[in-house]
Amino acid sequence: MSFEYVSAVMAQGASESDGSGKIWIFVAVIVLLTLVLPNASKSTKSKGESVTYGTGTLTAEEVVAKRFQPTKFKEGYDQDEVDDFLARTVQELRRLENERLQLQKTDSFRQAVTASILSPEEVINQRFQPTKFREGYAQNEVDDFLDRIATGLRGRVSENEQLRRRLGPSQYGTSTTPS
């Protein structure tokens, strides 16, 4: 339903003397609110969530600071499992950051690259036990954040691989990081 159509119907209804014009105005306001309000609710941010969600490089500190909405009477994810998985994520992000810093110091970086702790594929395939009638984490929030983690890890791994290619194999040893 287009704005022009609603305007035309409102104008026709407003010219009638039986009061139906007020009804059409009310209907038009409701239609406009249903078009505007869903978009407004998407732009608000929840506690601990960045306005630039999904953009930029994900940091270990962002993962540490992330808080999920707890659930009680609807299905959620087991909090201990999610927290343990996020702890592994923090370890991997810190390992990748350290690796990047070492690669940037090409003259002092002669050791082999350490094996990854967590791959983006493991993040995508991660499943948690659902909870019912006990506290858990909101599933949609956790799933959305896992997508962001997978994207962040892919970006970090790719960045480090590009640094390795620029340095050549003699500078850093053999890579054990999955590509």
Side-chain angles (χ1 to χ4, degrees):
M1 181 180 293
S2 72
F3 182 75
E4 291 81 18
Y5 174 76
V6 172
S7 298
V9 170
M10 286 176 32
Q12 179 185 9
S15 65
E16 298 175 7
S17 60
D18 64 355
S20 64
K22 292 179 185 175
I23 292 172
W24 283 109
I25 291 173
F26 178 73
V27 169
V29 168
I30 297 296
V31 168
L32 289 174
L33 286 176
T34 57
L35 294 173
V36 171
L37 285 181
N39 293 334
S41 67
K42 289 179 186 174
S43 67
T44 60
K45 63 177 186 170
S46 64
K47 182 179 178 184
E49 192 172 309
S50 170
V51 176
T52 59
Y53 191 78
T55 61
T57 304
L58 180 68
T59 65
E61 290 70 30
E62 287 177 275
V63 176
V64 168
K66 181 65 179 169
R67 299 292 176 259
F68 298 107
Q69 187 69 35
T71 63
K72 273 195 180 185
F73 298 110
K74 64 180 185 176
E75 227 176 62
Y77 287 136
D78 184 271
Q79 291 179 345
D80 291 334
E81 284 185 34
V82 172
D83 291 341
D84 290 344
F85 187 77
L86 292 180
R88 284 181 55 211
T89 301
V90 168
Q91 287 178 317
E92 178 64 4
L93 287 169
R94 287 184 176 149
R95 184 196 69 79
L96 287 167
E97 177 63 20
N98 185 48
E99 182 178 282
R100 183 182 63 80
L101 292 173
Q102 292 300 321
L103 285 167
Q104 288 174 338
K105 299 177 189 174
T106 58
D107 56 336
S108 65
F109 190 59
R110 301 267 188 242
Q111 65 190 28
V113 178
T114 59
S116 70
I117 296 168
L118 184 67
S119 72
E121 290 73 27
E122 288 177 288
V123 174
I124 290 170
N125 295 324
Q126 179 63 40
R127 300 292 176 255
F128 301 107
Q129 289 293 334
T131 61
K132 280 188 179 178
F133 305 116
R134 64 183 170 97
E135 268 197 5
Y137 288 136
Q139 291 179 348
N140 289 341
E141 281 186 56
V142 173
D143 291 340
D144 289 346
F145 197 63
L146 289 180
D147 290 342
R148 182 161 184 230
I149 289 171
T151 301
L153 286 176
R154 279 191 189 112
R156 295 283 180 123
V157 168
S158 174
E159 181 180 310
N160 288 359
E161 286 297 325
Q162 288 174 0
L163 282 170
R164 272 191 213 88
R165 278 193 291 272
R166 273 194 291 161
L167 294 174
S170 63
Q171 291 289 322
Y172 59 85
T174 306
S175 171
T176 57
T177 320
S179 48

